Amino acid sequence: MTDGHLGLAQAPPDGSGPPAGPPATGRAATGSVTGTVTGSPAGPAAGSARANGTAASHGTAPHPPAAPASVPLAPRVPLFPALAAVYRAQLSRARVARLPLLFVATFQSIGIMVLMRGVVDAEARSSEAHAVVAGSTVLIVAFVALNLLAQYFGQLRATGGLDHYATLPVPPAAVVLGAAGAYASFTVPGTVVTAVTGSLLFGLPLTHLWILVAVVPLSGAALAGLGAVCGLLAPRPELATLCGQLGMSAALLLGVLPAERMPGPVSFARDLLPSTYGVEALMETFAPDPDWLAVLAHLGVCAGVGVPALAAATWAYRRAALRS
């Protein structure tokens, strides 16, 4: 019999014989043909599964649509090759953009020594001259590695420059260590000129100035780590510049002046400044018979402060890069 409402041909109850009534047309007929091919009853459900029925008639299983092919990311560069690349790039940039400031820092340190030469008592010059020359020498490291690096990272964060490094397949530690190493290396010419000039000005021996090979990188690592933290955590570049200037002023006032003439609280603040131990190590080498164990102890303090300072700078870089 025929369902006049749906226009579908229904088979007899026993399943034998052709269906009664006129043949189905339109969408119902398509469903009937598909049902005949697949061996399932004809109907609207079979008509909607026409593609599956056709695939089954050819003896193949239906396949889901293929997912779009994903483009693999570039492999992450190992730490040391990435560090070397960032170091070279930062050193080239610092040599072009910061060279005038290096002359300013060197001229400032030499001017401080000339000024203190007229103030230091000639009878006590053996101890005070050591502090003046060593403090003025390490001051260049503080000026570049602490002050300028804080300004650089503060400006980099404010202008969105961290996004550029975030797209590179380099570890965050390579960016921080490369920039810190470049700025610390940038101080070498100024520190050598200042140390030699101060030694000649105050009549100090030049024999052990080779200790600058250890004083500059270790003091620079500690101060550069603090400068990077200030620049990356400061909410505005003006505050990063302020922190760098305050740190450099502390290195000037607490490093150049003799420690025995400072009051108790100021002397305690001097002990908290990482550059103080670089000054103490350099001061010890001006003595006729240097205490090399004391020199190693002071340099060990610089290294002990520099490692966590650079680790904190790496953490600050990750934090700033995610929020930029």
Side-chain angles (χ1 to χ4, degrees):
M1 63 182 171
T2 305
D3 189 343
H5 179 67
L6 296 177
L8 301 176
Q10 298 181 358
D14 57 356
S16 60
T25 60
R27 185 174 180 181
T30 304
S32 177
V33 172
T34 307
T36 304
V37 173
T38 59
S40 61
S48 63
R50 179 175 53 187
N52 292 339
T54 305
S57 64
H58 290 81
T60 59
H63 296 283
S70 59
V71 179
L73 297 177
R76 180 173 288 272
V77 181
L79 176 62
F80 290 105
L83 176 60
V86 174
Y87 174 81
R88 289 193 298 266
Q90 290 292 335
L91 190 62
S92 300
R93 180 187 181 279
R95 186 171 58 248
V96 174
R98 306 298 186 182
L99 188 59
L101 295 176
L102 177 62
F103 284 110
V104 171
T106 306
F107 181 79
Q108 171 184 270
S109 296
I110 294 177
I112 290 173
M113 291 190 299
V114 172
L115 176 64
M116 295 299 292
R117 181 64 181 83
V119 176
V120 169
D121 189 3
E123 296 180 357
R125 190 171 60 185
S126 59
S127 61
E128 294 180 353
H130 298 173
V132 172
V133 176
S136 300
T137 302
V138 179
L139 177 62
I140 298 180
V141 182
F143 180 83
V144 176
L146 178 59
N147 184 25
L148 296 185
L149 195 61
Q151 296 182 28
Y152 169 71
F153 274 114
Q155 191 69 22
L156 196 68
R157 179 185 178 185
T159 57
L162 293 179
D163 296 337
H164 166 71
Y165 288 105
T167 58
L168 299 178
V170 297
V175 178
V176 175
L177 294 177
Y183 274 74
S185 301
F186 188 58
T187 65
V188 172
T191 54
V192 173
V193 171
T194 303
V196 172
T197 304
S199 298
L200 296 176
L201 186 63
F202 285 89
L204 302 179
L206 302 174
T207 308
H208 302 299
L209 286 184
W210 55 264
I211 198 65
L212 291 174
V213 176
V215 171
V216 171
L218 294 179
S219 300
L223 294 175
L226 296 179
V229 170
C230 292
L232 291 169
L233 295 184
R236 292 186 299 174
E238 295 82 3
L239 295 178
T241 302
L242 177 62
C243 291
Q245 292 284 350
L246 290 176
M248 187 197 67
S249 300
L252 168 62
L253 298 176
L254 302 178
V256 175
L257 300 178
E260 59 270 10
R261 296 195 177 186
M262 296 182 181
V266 178
S267 180
F268 177 73
R270 181 178 183 271
D271 294 338
L272 296 179
L273 192 65
S275 61
T276 298
Y277 300 94
V279 174
E280 293 287 345
L282 185 57
M283 284 176 56
E284 188 64 35
T285 61
F286 289 135
D289 186 16
D291 185 358
W292 294 108
L293 291 179
V295 173
L296 292 177
H298 293 312
L299 294 178
V301 173
C302 288
V305 175
V307 171
L310 292 174
T314 303
W315 169 82
Y317 170 80
R318 289 195 183 99
R319 181 177 180 270
L322 291 176
R323 293 191 176 187
S324 61

